[in-house]
Amino acid sequence: MKIGIFPMIAGQQGGGVETYELSLVQQLAALESPHQFHLFCLDQKTADAFGSLPENFRKQVVWPGRRIPAYFLGLPLAIRHSGVDLVHATFVPPWASPRPVVLTMHDICMHTHPELYPRRIRRRFGRLVFRRLGKMNRLVCISETTRSQTVQHFSIPRGRTSVVPLGVDERFRPASNDTIEVTLRRLGIPQDYILYAGNLRVGGKNLVRILEAFRLLLDRCQRPITLVFTGRRSWGVSELDATIERLELGSSIRYTGWLSPEDVPVMYSGARLLIFPSLCEGFGLPALEAMACGTPVVTSRLSCMPEITGNAAYLVDPLSVPEIATGMQRLLEDEDLHQSLRKKGLLHVRQYTWSRTAQETMAIYDLCGGS
């Protein structure tokens, strides 16, 4: 069988979706499958992100090598002439495809929480994805929450969906104290800090309430602690900056920007806790990455987060600023709780591997390619 893969976000600093695309392809290559794989990349940056691959993988930069015309014009032609038996779209389905399409559904937050997203992005995503779900041969959902919501809101037959969880890369493990110290000094980060990891989007990521809870935390405990934001600045960051100024938090906030793959596990490892009280998530990968590095997590009791984190995280109401602040305070001051969640997290995260993700995805290819 010849399997086409259409990665949309790799090489674009695209957060969890980019991690998914790169890790899935890497682990599919490690399976030593007899199948042939054909990667359809909209530009050279995406192709380069995958590095070198085995002989049964081919990377094609779709004509004309610019993302928008390549998506609408070049991609359907490339699929037609490639001879693939099916196409796995990892984020957005091809505009047109003469072959069966397997689509990964990361979440439907733009549909369930439209107020959290700019109108132009909602309209574009709705046109490219939501309106076309019924035409997909199979939907691969990254959590049971995402599957249930997709089935319910779009009347998709449950039998046409599968759940394949994401994984945590082996590089996410507790770093040594020396490595943490050197990295923090290089990045200009104080040693006592709370970490937020992910793209800086004010709406769904609940960043304003995180800042308000952090202000309340500082007022409560009188502890000189820093809140560190990692990730690429996205829409709504002007509100983030305005909130920091309003709450007079400038001296207690640090931005690292986009971190190298080597620095991310170290930043997790050095943090006292990860704060991740999202309003809507399809999976919440940073929570598991932090657990793998031995860092306790304060996260939301809404959306998929209880499903993904089990009993290994401190759950809060993401709409309650005092409750978010209390969660952070508990993990700062209660050492027994801190150590308990650290141990539970290290154990819990073992079930999430990219090898498992690739194997279960490969089983879906076999199912769809044989139908």
Side-chain angles (χ1 to χ4, degrees):
M1 182 165 56
K2 190 172 185 180
I3 301 162
I5 299 178
F6 169 43
M8 185 80 171
I9 305 299
Q12 312 301 315
Q13 294 187 353
V17 177
E18 179 174 27
T19 299
Y20 169 71
E21 292 176 343
L22 296 175
S23 301
L24 175 64
V25 169
Q26 180 185 49
Q27 290 302 313
L28 287 172
L31 292 180
E32 299 183 355
S33 167
H35 302 308
Q36 298 292 310
F37 294 86
H38 190 123
L39 272 63
F40 300 100
C41 305
L42 297 184
D43 58 20
Q44 190 63 50
K45 182 182 287 188
T46 294
D48 292 343
F50 290 98
S52 60
L53 293 169
E55 292 182 357
N56 62 326
F57 279 74
R58 180 195 172 192
K59 293 186 289 185
Q60 176 185 359
V61 178
V62 176
W63 173 87
R66 299 193 307 275
R67 294 181 67 80
I68 294 178
Y71 174 74
F72 286 104
L73 300 176
L75 183 59
L77 294 174
I79 292 172
R80 182 178 298 277
H81 293 113
S82 66
V84 297
D85 297 292
L86 62 89
V87 177
H88 179 192
T90 55
F91 184 58
V92 171
W95 185 245
S97 175
R99 302 291 182 267
V101 177
V102 175
L103 173 66
T104 297
M105 288 295 295
H106 294 271
D107 62 70
I108 65 166
C109 294
M110 287 188 201
H111 181 81
T112 58
H113 295 76
E115 72 281 1
L116 302 178
Y117 297 86
R119 183 179 179 185
R120 60 182 176 81
I121 294 178
R122 296 198 318 264
R123 294 180 63 181
R124 183 187 311 160
F125 203 80
R127 184 165 61 100
L128 295 179
V129 181
F130 292 151
R131 295 179 190 174
R132 303 166 64 202
L133 292 181
K135 299 180 180 180
M136 301 297 103
N137 295 78
R138 194 159 198 89
L139 298 179
V140 179
C141 302
I142 61 175
S143 66
E144 183 59 49
T145 300
T146 296
R147 172 158 73 172
S148 297
Q149 291 177 341
T150 302
V151 168
Q152 176 185 353
H153 286 272
F154 298 102
S155 300
I156 302 295
R158 191 174 180 85
R160 284 174 49 201
T161 67
S162 301
V163 175
V164 179
L166 306 187
V168 176
D169 193 273
E170 293 180 356
R171 65 190 171 89
F172 290 100
R173 57 184 182 272
S176 69
N177 291 335
D178 288 345
T179 301
I180 294 171
E181 184 177 350
V182 169
T183 301
L184 294 182
R185 187 184 308 119
R186 172 167 52 83
L187 295 175
I189 305 296
Q191 297 227 356
D192 200 13
Y193 66 94
I194 293 169
L195 182 68
Y196 166 85
N199 285 337
L200 301 181
R201 298 202 307 265
V202 167
K205 299 301 183 181
N206 212 15
L207 300 185
V208 170
R209 289 191 182 90
I210 289 176
L211 289 170
E212 291 173 341
F214 183 63
R215 174 74 270 171
L216 184 57
L217 172 71
L218 293 180
D219 294 340
R220 282 180 180 177
C221 66
Q222 300 298 316
R223 176 172 176 168
I225 192 164
T226 303
L227 177 59
V228 177
F229 289 101
T230 71
R232 181 171 58 89
R233 291 167 69 88
S234 188
W235 65 76
V237 289
S238 59
E239 185 179 358
L240 180 69
D241 296 335
T243 303
I244 291 173
E245 183 176 356
R246 171 172 62 86
L247 298 175
E248 300 181 346
L249 287 172
S251 62
S252 299
I253 303 295
R254 297 288 188 279
Y255 292 107
T256 67
W258 189 261
L259 292 172
S260 70
E262 294 75 25
D263 284 341
V264 176
V266 182
M267 286 301 298
Y268 278 130
S269 299
R272 181 65 181 175
L273 63 97
L274 177 77
I275 183 66
F276 197 72
S278 297
L279 298 175
C280 186
E281 290 285 344
F283 191 82
L285 190 56
L288 294 184
E289 292 174 344
M291 288 180 183
C293 295
T295 300
V297 176
V298 174
T299 190
S300 170
R301 66 167 60 101
L302 300 182
S303 192
C304 70
M305 297 314 300
E307 171 194 346
I308 299 304
T309 60
N311 69 342
Y314 191 102
L315 302 181
V316 298
D317 177 0
L319 299 175
S320 170
V321 169
E323 197 166 322
I324 297 171
T326 296
M328 292 189 287
Q329 186 175 6
R330 288 286 310 280
L331 286 181
L332 287 175
E333 297 178 351
D334 188 335
E335 189 62 28
D336 289 341
L337 176 62
H338 188 278
Q339 289 301 318
S340 174
L341 288 181
R342 170 184 165 85
K343 293 175 182 176
K344 288 180 179 179
L346 288 168
L347 183 63
H348 176 75
V349 77
R350 292 179 185 176
Q351 65 185 293
Y352 294 101
T353 68
W354 287 115
S355 176
R356 171 191 170 187
T357 303
Q359 291 172 12
E360 294 183 6
T361 303
M362 192 70 241
I364 293 172
Y365 297 158
D366 291 335
L367 175 66
C368 295
S371 59

